[in-house]
Amino acid sequence: MTLNWSRLQDRMEHLRANKLFETFVIAVIIASALLIGAKTYEQSSRFDQWINWLDLGVTLFFLFEIMVRMAAEKRFINFFKQGWNIFDFVIVVASLVPINESEMVLIARLLRVFRVLRLVSLIPELRVLLAALVKSIPRMGYVALLMFIIFYIYAAIGSFMFNTVDPVLWGNITISMLTLFRVATFEDWTDVMYATMVDYPYSWIFYLTFIFLTAFVFLNMMIGIVLDVMQKESEAQQLESGEGEAADVHWMREHMAQMSEQLHRIERQLEQQQGGKE
């Protein structure tokens, strides 16, 4: 019995590591996303039966695929030690919610939307991007706080100066901050500037300095943070997989350290031999 289970695990492991099987899983995830999109069209009502059968087939395949991955583990508990496995398991279990009951239709459809996120767990490059985004959020928080301070200062100045020019855009500090967000995103910001320049000809300085700080300085700081974290995550992924430049550099450092230790041992042995002869 144990031998048969071990053979089954080996087969499941071989199937899980098969590139063709991984490609097929990705194709099914994309097909699932297309099915969800097809249901948003009114014309799809004619094909409801076919779409429901295809959705059931996709759900059963996801259940089979997650069972293959769980069976491939030498120890069952090891499957839940990886965060991405837990994520996939939750998505698959959530997809089992029946879609026929009227009160559960909306919830079931919303849960099936998240099946598209399984692409992230299957493609290493997407995992690196998502991990970099999540880990860069705390560092970007300080930049966002500084941006809020700048927004608040400029909104207060704009509300005091331009309230009489256009109370719709500069009536109070809250509306002024929304107007500045419009300026920062370049959404017809010149119309806002030209309206205030009628009464305040030098108000262009107010807008240009604000755009310089927000659109150029702070945006580049955000990009720099994300790129720095992405580089570290990419190096960590290369070390984990044993492939890539980071893995080669790590291998060379380890072997250089081993060679250095061997040289020190040889030097100590030579010193001991010379001391014994003397």
Side-chain angles (χ1 to χ4, degrees), residues 129-251:
L129 290 175
L130 184 60
L133 176 62
V134 173
K135 291 185 178 181
S136 61
I137 288 176
R139 294 172 61 181
M140 288 193 297
Y142 295 104
V143 180
L145 178 60
L146 184 58
M147 286 183 64
F148 174 79
I149 295 173
I150 297 299
F151 264 81
Y152 192 86
I153 293 173
Y154 273 81
I157 296 173
S159 181
F160 292 148
M161 293 181 59
F162 310 137
N163 184 23
T164 56
V165 177
D166 193 344
V168 176
L169 297 179
W170 305 99
N172 53 55
I173 196 167
T174 304
I175 298 176
S176 298
M177 291 184 72
L178 290 175
T179 303
L180 289 174
F181 184 79
R182 170 183 170 182
V183 173
T185 55
F186 301 108
E187 180 64 27
D188 293 333
W189 71 276
T190 53
D191 296 338
V192 180
M193 180 183 67
Y194 291 144
T196 57
M197 285 181 65
V198 175
D199 294 337
Y200 300 93
Y202 293 101
S203 62
W204 58 269
I205 300 175
F206 172 86
Y207 296 98
L208 293 185
T209 55
F210 175 77
I211 290 175
F212 177 80
L213 288 174
T214 56
F216 299 139
V217 177
F218 291 128
L219 181 60
N220 287 327
M221 290 174 67
M222 291 281 192
I223 295 173
I225 291 172
V226 174
L227 289 178
D228 181 56
V229 177
M230 280 184 60
Q231 182 180 1
K232 293 179 181 178
E233 285 298 313
S234 179
E235 292 176 355
Q237 193 268 339
Q238 290 177 3
L239 291 175
E240 182 180 353
S241 62
E243 299 177 353
E245 183 179 353
D248 295 339
V249 172
H250 182 71
W251 181 85

Side-chain angles (χ1 to χ4, degrees), residues 32-64:
S32 173
L34 295 176
L35 285 174
I36 295 171
K39 291 180 180 180
T40 62
Y41 292 92
E42 295 180 0
Q43 294 83 354
S44 65
S45 58
R46 296 178 296 174
F47 307 99
D48 278 346
Q49 190 66 27
W50 287 96
I51 292 176
N52 291 334
W53 280 110
L54 288 172
D55 183 77
L56 178 62
V58 169
T59 302
L60 293 177
F61 176 78
F62 282 158
L63 182 61
F64 167 76

Side-chain angles (χ1 to χ4, degrees), residues 6 20 52 58 61 63 72 74 86 95 125 140 144 151 170 174 201 214 252-253 257 260 270 275:
S6 179
L20 184 61
N52 291 334
V58 169
F61 176 78
L63 182 61
K74 299 301 181 183
I86 297 175
S95 299
E125 289 77 10
M140 288 193 297
F151 264 81
W170 305 99
T174 304
T214 56
M252 292 178 61
R253 287 177 178 175
S260 179
L270 291 174

Side-chain angles (χ1 to χ4, degrees), residues 269-278:
Q269 290 177 358
L270 291 174
E271 290 176 357
Q272 290 175 359
Q273 290 177 0
Q274 291 178 355
K277 291 180 180 179
E278 292 176 355

